[in-house]
Amino acid sequence: MSKLITRSVPAHALPLLDRFRRVRRQTEALADPLSPEDQTVQSMPDASPTKWHLAHTTWFFETFLLKPQLPTYRPFDPAYEYLFNSYYEAVGPRHPRPQRGLITRPGVDEVLAYRRHVTEAMAELIDSNRSNSTDLIELGLHHEQQHQELILMDIKHALSLNPLFPAYAAERTPANEGAPLGWVDFEGGLIETGHAGPGSGGGFAFDNEGPRHRSWVDPFALATRLVTSGEYQAFIDDGGYSRPEFWLSAGWDVVKQRDWQAPLYWHEDGVFTLAGLRPRRAEEPVCHVSFYEAAAYAKWAGKRLPREEEWELAATDVTLGGNSNMLDDGHLHPAPAAGEGLVQMIGDVWEWTASPYVAYPGFREPPGAIGEYNGKFMANQMVLRGGCAATPRDHIRATYRNFFPPDARWMFGGIRLAEDLR
Ligand SMILES: [Fe+2]
């Protein structure tokens, strides 16, 4: 995957207004290579048109900040409250998700004018220091960054269904490919994971990343890198998609119903990417597999998927340099040294974990409509960790919990193996 979003200055180091304008511009830059027709199409109920993302991220600031907090604010168009609400029951009724592609009006130009209207009003709100809701503005920015990735996921799906396989952007040189597969051992024990909250000095986090809490982890090993396309091809060549013994029952049902025979976007010898259709590289991480496929591959390989607390323990060691997650019982595991330990942990492909998406001990949803952001989706989904090349760099954290249903494949999801050491 190409690195589509880069920064020279860490965004978290900028004043809030600069960061706000930067995130807004980045969203518009992602839409820039797309025609109005590209931006209007909806390729499946799960995916939204680019134009809808541009408007909905704007609706978020208008609904949760401008209307309640800026007395001089006048809505750009009262109908947008209905058109661009995603799932907030407390805000009111909304346009059905599967029909977002039918909103041919307002057009792209009008949606961009809506964005300018709200961006300038938000700049006034931030500049006036009137808002006592810095946390809510931060949430709006991280919400918009989530949608930046969704724009890329969704347009990739739409373009993949075009028989001309058009490219969205040129691909950049891949990093971290070709490393041999190794294993890093972890002793485990009583560990602490999760985000301590925005006031802890650890920066922004979504509510579902906390609170910090303890878990017992038995000794385990984590693969040093992601499963590659070549390795996944070996699973296919060994009858992976025709042998039920590798599959969870629900996964096997899906394989048969949808006639899955390879990851999403695989063609004969090629793979569809945001840079168009190109040959597959055996050493690139396999991507666009469902949880069911990841679990089946792991079983075929004689391994398993990591649990999310194991992944976070390992990732915290990678990003912070060691042992910060271990409780002080005088018995610390060795931290893998950078370069000879784990690679591709952050920002390559999202890694499916074996963990269902549920609340951490002590989790409380915030009051009001914002409480609908994460908590109400805690059923029938699995957690992914680590971010992908389409995730803005300053939007990835070791504690970040992404989540999708186990049969979803259009996110940039891949596989890292784990094994028990006992
Ligand atoms: Fe949203």
Side-chain angles (χ1 to χ4, degrees):
M1 258 308 300
S2 58
K3 300 286 187 284
L4 289 156
I5 301 168
T6 58
R7 288 184 169 76
S8 52
V9 178
H12 59 78
L14 296 172
L16 183 58
L17 182 55
D18 291 349
R19 208 157 75 249
F20 173 78
R21 288 193 181 280
R22 192 167 180 163
V23 170
R24 298 287 287 169
R25 275 199 306 272
Q26 276 163 350
T27 309
E28 287 144 22
L30 287 172
D32 251 2
L34 299 168
S35 69
E37 293 85 353
D38 290 334
Q39 294 189 45
T40 304
V41 73
Q42 180 173 27
S43 57
M44 62 172 170
D46 281 341
S48 299
T50 305
K51 188 176 71 180
W52 186 90
H53 290 295
L54 293 175
H56 163 70
T57 47
T58 304
W59 169 95
F60 189 97
F61 288 113
E62 182 177 63
T63 302
F64 295 122
L65 283 145
L66 294 175
K67 286 181 179 174
Q69 293 192 18
L70 191 62
T72 56
Y73 183 73
R74 295 289 170 268
F76 183 81
D77 185 330
Y80 288 10
E81 179 168 307
Y82 172 82
L83 281 183
F84 301 121
N85 180 1
S86 53
Y87 53 65
Y88 294 88
E89 302 284 353
V91 173
R94 60 194 179 277
H95 185 67
R97 178 173 183 152
Q99 295 173 25
R100 290 174 184 168
L102 301 179
I103 307 174
T104 55
R105 301 177 192 187
V108 169
D109 286 346
E110 201 172 342
V111 165
L112 291 177
Y114 174 43
R115 285 186 65 87
R116 285 192 295 274
H117 177 82
V118 166
T119 296
E120 291 317 310
M122 278 298 299
E124 186 185 336
L125 182 69
I126 294 169
D127 220 20
S128 70
N129 283 325
R130 203 196 315 260
S131 174
N132 53 1
S133 304
T134 308
D135 288 351
L136 198 49
I137 297 171
E138 288 286 355
L139 179 65
L141 290 176
H142 283 270
H143 169 255
E144 182 143 349
Q145 289 187 306
Q146 281 188 313
H147 279 272
Q148 289 172 355
E149 179 170 338
L150 287 165
I151 285 173
L152 296 174
M153 280 165 55
D154 293 356
I155 199 63
K156 180 173 183 177
H157 189 260
L159 295 176
S160 79
L161 298 174
N162 183 325
L164 302 178
F165 301 121
Y168 165 81
E171 192 164 36
R172 297 205 182 164
T173 311
N176 293 325
E177 290 183 12
L181 179 62
W183 295 85
V184 177
D185 294 352
F186 293 86
E187 280 188 22
L190 189 60
I191 68 161
E192 200 171 73
T193 53
H195 199 283
S200 66
F204 174 86
F206 289 111
D207 55 8
N208 63 3
E209 294 172 51
R212 276 184 80 77
H213 59 282
R214 288 172 293 175
S215 309
W216 179 262
V217 173
D218 279 332
F220 71 101
L222 201 60
T224 49
R225 61 156 171 78
L226 299 162
V227 171
T228 65
S229 285
E231 289 164 343
Y232 198 84
Q233 181 67 58
F235 164 68
I236 297 175
D237 293 344
D238 196 31
Y241 283 88
S242 56
R243 294 171 60 182
E245 64 263 37
F246 303 133
W247 295 82
L248 292 161
S249 174
W252 184 241
D253 287 346
V254 171
V255 166
K256 287 185 293 182
Q257 283 161 11
R258 303 184 196 172
D259 194 26
W260 282 354
Q261 299 183 24
L264 182 65
Y265 303 138
W266 277 32
H267 292 252
E268 190 75 13
D269 294 313
V271 59
F272 180 75
T273 71
L274 282 169
L277 189 60
R278 62 151 172 80
R280 279 200 302 281
R281 298 188 300 269
E283 293 180 338
E284 67 187 316
V286 67
C287 190
H288 295 293
V289 291
S290 63
F291 168 79
Y292 291 137
E293 288 161 297
Y297 177 88
K299 190 164 184 186
W300 171 81
K303 310 293 182 186
R304 64 169 172 82
L305 299 178
R307 287 181 277 277
E308 65 173 321
E309 61 272 20
E310 294 170 335
W311 190 96
E312 188 172 322
L313 172 67
T316 308
D317 276 348
V318 168
T319 53
L320 299 183
N323 295 328
S324 59
N325 272 1
M326 298 303 295
L327 291 185
D328 186 16
D329 60 0
H331 191 60
L332 303 177
H333 66 81
E340 50 188 63
L342 306 169
V343 298
Q344 301 173 327
M345 288 290 281
I346 301 285
D348 294 86
V349 302
W350 287 102
E351 302 178 22
W352 283 107
T353 72
S355 299
Y357 176 53
V358 295
Y360 288 157
F363 172 74
R364 294 282 180 276
E365 290 158 355
I370 286 298
E372 296 185 47
Y373 198 109
N374 282 310
K376 72 180 188 181
F377 300 109
M378 290 176 172
N380 304 321
Q381 314 220 46
M382 302 302 287
V383 171
L384 301 96
R385 294 300 197 107
C388 70
T391 316
R393 266 296 174 277
D394 57 341
H395 185 65
I396 310 177
R397 297 171 291 283
T399 55
Y400 197 115
R401 307 172 81 200
N402 200 355
F403 52 89
F404 278 97
D407 62 339
R409 308 207 286 178
W410 95 110
M411 83 296 295
F412 298 89
I415 310 168
R416 183 185 300 271
L417 296 176
E419 66 179 350
D420 296 312
L421 295 179
R422 37 189 326 184

